[in-house]
Amino acid sequence: QKEVEQDPGPLSVPEGAIVSLNCTYSNSAFQYFMWYRQYSRKGPELLMYTYSSGNKEDGRFTAQVDKSSKYISLFIRDSQPSDSATYLCAMSVDTGNQFYFGTGTSLTVIP
Amino acid sequence: NAGVTQTPKFQVLKTGQSMTLQCAQDMNHEYMSWYRQDPGMGLRLIHYSVGAGITDQGEVPNGYNVSRSTTEDFPLRLLSAAPSQTSVYFCASSYRGTPGNTIYFGEGSWLTVV
């Protein structure tokens, strides 16, 4: 079983839709949870991070962590064509420690 | 502030050739790592380093070598290239501390082995 599972999609939504991206994991020791956005032919860049359980909001983006279910989500409100990218979840046990990535979900927002 | 710089961006190698992917960071980060990204496989850790003079293997280390002589540089060496090493390679650096756990990635190196 992989440490982190993520539905690869692809996901295609109309502009303005709410997007939900999810990952599940198996290691209960994970404490740090991150979402990265990767545009085509570019390196991933950090979008949001969360420590332990709970919600975190940043503009149109909300990250949720449910450690009891080993499930994390990223919600994008009022999606824009510029949100079209691959979204990768990542997690780690400790700061600066080994990071475990999901395979990424490809999102296309249609104008 | 350049962040993480990788070279070359594109490279074609013949089977059996060796080469080095260069990586440098100017953020004084302790941690540096190399990942490869393949379709359907996501990012997989090849090697990582927690500081100058210290390296360790990740998930897929075979066929690769690394060294960390300075805080800034972390080159990845392909010893004898094989078609299975055709991939996109990302160098990354990170710092240990809170808040956050940010990994900074380079722009990527596209490698084709024929």
Side-chain angles (χ1 to χ4, degrees):
Chain A
Q1 183 186 8
K2 293 184 71 172
E3 297 268 7
V4 181
E5 300 279 357
Q6 183 175 9
D7 186 342
L11 193 59
S12 184
V13 301
E15 183 174 352
I18 296 174
V19 176
S20 172
L21 304 168
N22 310 295
C23 289
T24 59
Y25 62 95
S26 57
N27 188 347
S28 58
F30 286 145
Q31 296 189 86
Y32 295 87
F33 304 92
M34 293 140 281
W35 286 96
Y36 282 80
R37 179 174 60 196
Q38 184 177 22
Y39 291 114
S40 180
R41 304 189 81 79
K42 294 289 187 180
E45 55 181 353
L46 181 69
L47 194 58
M48 296 191 72
Y49 81 90
T50 315
Y51 171 69
S52 194
S53 284
N55 293 0
K56 186 170 184 178
E57 188 173 320
D58 184 1
R60 297 185 293 110
F61 298 89
T62 299
Q64 286 187 352
V65 175
D66 182 349
K67 291 190 73 179
S68 62
S69 302
K70 298 190 181 70
Y71 188 87
I72 70 170
S73 300
L74 177 70
F75 297 96
I76 307 174
R77 291 183 299 280
D78 187 26
S79 56
Q80 302 295 309
S82 59
D83 295 329
S84 298
T86 296
Y87 291 81
L88 301 103
C89 62
M91 41 201 84
S92 67
V93 172
D94 194 4
T95 59
N97 208 333
Q98 281 188 268
F99 302 90
Y100 295 86
F101 284 85
T103 53
T105 299
S106 175
L107 171 67
T108 301
V109 181
I110 303 168
Chain B
N1 187 355
V4 180
T5 304
Q6 282 181 242
T7 56
K9 193 165 180 73
F10 300 99
Q11 183 72 49
V12 179
L13 280 180
K14 293 183 179 178
T15 297
Q17 285 185 319
S18 63
M19 76 157 297
T20 299
L21 299 176
Q22 301 291 343
C23 177
Q25 54 95 3
D26 61 0
M27 296 172 282
N28 202 32
H29 286 169
E30 300 168 290
Y31 292 81
M32 296 187 74
S33 47
W34 277 101
Y35 293 85
R36 60 178 289 173
Q37 188 174 37
D38 302 289
M41 304 293 289
L43 283 161
R44 293 184 291 169
L45 183 65
I46 304 171
H47 285 285
Y48 66 99
S49 168
V50 300
I54 306 168
T55 63
D56 208 345
Q57 297 180 350
E59 183 183 356
V60 288
N62 292 340
Y64 306 95
N65 214 351
V66 292
S67 60
R68 184 96 179 269
S69 57
T70 66
T71 300
E72 295 78 19
D73 300 299
F74 192 45
L76 177 72
R77 297 182 187 84
L78 279 71
L79 308 173
S80 177
S84 61
Q85 293 178 302
T86 294
S87 187
V88 184
Y89 291 85
F90 289 99
C91 179
S93 73
S94 58
Y95 60 89
R96 187 186 186 96
T98 57
N101 201 25
T102 307
I103 312 169
Y104 295 84
F105 286 90
E107 291 279 281
S109 296
W110 274 255
L111 177 67
T112 302
V113 182
V114 298

